[in-house]
Amino acid sequence: MVRFHGRAVSSSVVVVSLLLLAPASVAAQLGGLVKRAARGAVEDRVEAALPFTPRAAPEFNDRVLEIGPSHLDGLLAGFAAEVEYAKGASREFEDSVKAFERRHEAWERSVEEYDRAMERYEPCRERFLEQEEATSTANQARTEAALEGKNDPATQRKWEEYQQEVARMAAEQQRRMLEAAAGVMAESRRERTEDPRLVEACGAAPERQDEPMSSLSSPEGVLAARGAEASGLTAAQYSIMRERVLYWAREEGRPRAMGFTEAEIRLLDERSEDVEKAVERMRKGKVPL
């Protein structure tokens, strides 16, 4: 993109006019200025005429977006939002810090209350669990006792007596199995209802609140958040696109260290006046660039 340096040419005309009216010594000094100004203007024109090959564009993804017309419109809206909120950003950040400090103090008080509640809760919970352990042990012993027994028939009885003994043994075994099943069911019911009964006995366990976190790190963070919100981009998309467009503006449309696609450069070249005006408003508004 060719840029003409009108100020340099105008300055040269003024200096030449002064040379015609100045003494010889002053004219010599001014002559040096004229030569340097003319040389600078020539160098600028030569540089603008040199072929320019941009670096390869970055790999685009959900964070690094290719700059399109709608994206650029959104970014410029974000720039305007940053200018609008620049004066109040420091105050908003300070208010955010104070609000965070209040939340953190409230959290510290909640932790102290949690610790006191746990001191009251833990002894009750330990007693309850000791009782549960005793009940569980009794249920297991009941089951094991019911399953124990000698089923060996008497070897010296008559056949009829043996049959009767077998019947009695079967009845006894059935009784034991029912008793064992009762123990298993009792333990199952105890396990299923342990938590509700613990709540009934000791109340709900105290809950410790999460420590609050601050989302804004600086006044610049406030402006970035405002800009991203106005742009319609995510915070990451806005931050990356902002950096790329501001770099393009600093390099006057000839970026060498950061890559752009041909379509991006063509768009930025077409909208250069809009971008330059937006950047100038940001400078005047003391928005960090």
Side-chain angles (χ1 to χ4, degrees):
M1 179 177 63
V2 177
R3 294 178 182 269
F4 294 97
H5 300 272
R7 290 184 180 177
V9 174
S10 300
S11 299
S12 299
V13 172
V14 172
V15 171
V16 170
S17 301
L18 291 174
L19 279 173
L20 298 176
L21 303 175
S25 60
V26 175
Q29 296 176 7
L30 292 176
L33 292 175
V34 170
K35 291 179 182 179
R36 285 196 292 274
R39 185 167 59 250
V42 171
E43 290 175 352
D44 287 344
R45 288 196 294 273
V46 169
E47 181 184 359
L50 291 174
F52 170 65
T53 303
R55 293 174 63 89
E59 181 178 347
F60 299 117
N61 50 44
D62 60 344
R63 290 167 55 87
V64 184
L65 302 180
E66 185 174 13
I67 304 169
S70 61
H71 293 145
L72 185 57
D73 289 340
L75 187 71
L76 294 178
F79 287 176
E82 289 193 50
V83 173
E84 180 181 356
Y85 288 100
K87 292 182 179 179
S90 295
R91 172 62 61 84
E92 184 174 342
F93 174 68
E94 291 171 2
D95 291 344
S96 173
V97 170
K98 291 177 181 177
F100 169 74
E101 289 174 349
R102 289 193 297 270
R103 293 197 305 273
H104 201 274
E105 290 172 358
W107 172 78
E108 290 177 339
R109 291 193 297 270
S110 74
V111 170
E112 294 174 356
E113 178 58 31
Y114 168 82
D115 291 340
R116 289 192 294 268
M118 286 301 294
E119 290 177 359
R120 296 190 298 268
Y121 174 78
E122 276 300 324
C124 179
R125 177 179 175 275
E126 290 175 1
R127 289 193 300 271
F128 177 85
L129 293 179
E130 288 174 359
Q131 294 172 357
E132 289 296 293
E133 180 66 21
T135 302
S136 177
T137 300
N139 287 336
Q140 292 175 4
R142 180 181 178 185
T143 301
E144 292 172 0
L147 293 176
E148 290 177 358
K150 297 180 180 179
N151 298 321
D152 185 23
T155 57
Q156 297 182 0
R157 294 179 180 176
K158 296 179 180 180
W159 178 252
E160 293 81 3
E161 292 176 349
Y162 172 72
Q163 291 294 332
Q164 293 174 0
E165 183 66 18
V166 168
R168 287 194 298 271
M169 289 171 59
E172 177 63 15
Q173 186 65 25
Q174 184 178 10
R175 185 192 66 76
R176 293 177 180 180
M177 290 303 295
L178 291 174
E179 187 71 15
V184 171
M185 292 297 294
E187 176 62 11
S188 176
R189 285 193 300 272
R190 186 200 65 77
E191 291 178 348
R192 287 199 310 271
T193 62
E194 178 177 335
D195 289 343
R197 287 184 294 106
L198 173 59
V199 173
E200 183 179 357
C202 302
E207 294 185 5
R208 193 175 193 273
Q209 296 182 14
D210 294 332
E211 182 174 2
M213 303 299 292
S214 176
S215 60
L216 301 175
S217 58
S218 63
E220 289 78 6
V222 173
L223 290 180
R226 294 289 190 179
E229 182 180 359
S231 71
L233 302 170
T234 67
Q237 291 168 347
Y238 180 78
S239 174
I240 294 171
M241 192 174 295
R242 182 185 192 276
E243 179 183 0
R244 295 183 72 217
V245 171
L246 290 179
Y247 171 78
W248 180 89
R250 286 196 302 273
E251 293 296 306
E252 297 185 343
R254 297 174 68 85
R256 287 181 168 79
M258 187 180 293
F260 293 80
T261 64
E262 292 182 4
E264 287 180 320
I265 291 179
R266 186 165 53 252
L267 173 64
L268 291 170
D269 197 20
E270 293 171 355
R271 301 286 301 276
S272 61
E273 185 176 353
D274 295 337
V275 173
E276 289 170 1
K277 287 181 178 178
V279 173
E280 183 61 24
R281 285 192 293 269
M282 293 171 79
R283 287 196 184 98
K284 290 181 179 179
K286 301 190 182 306
V287 175
L289 300 179

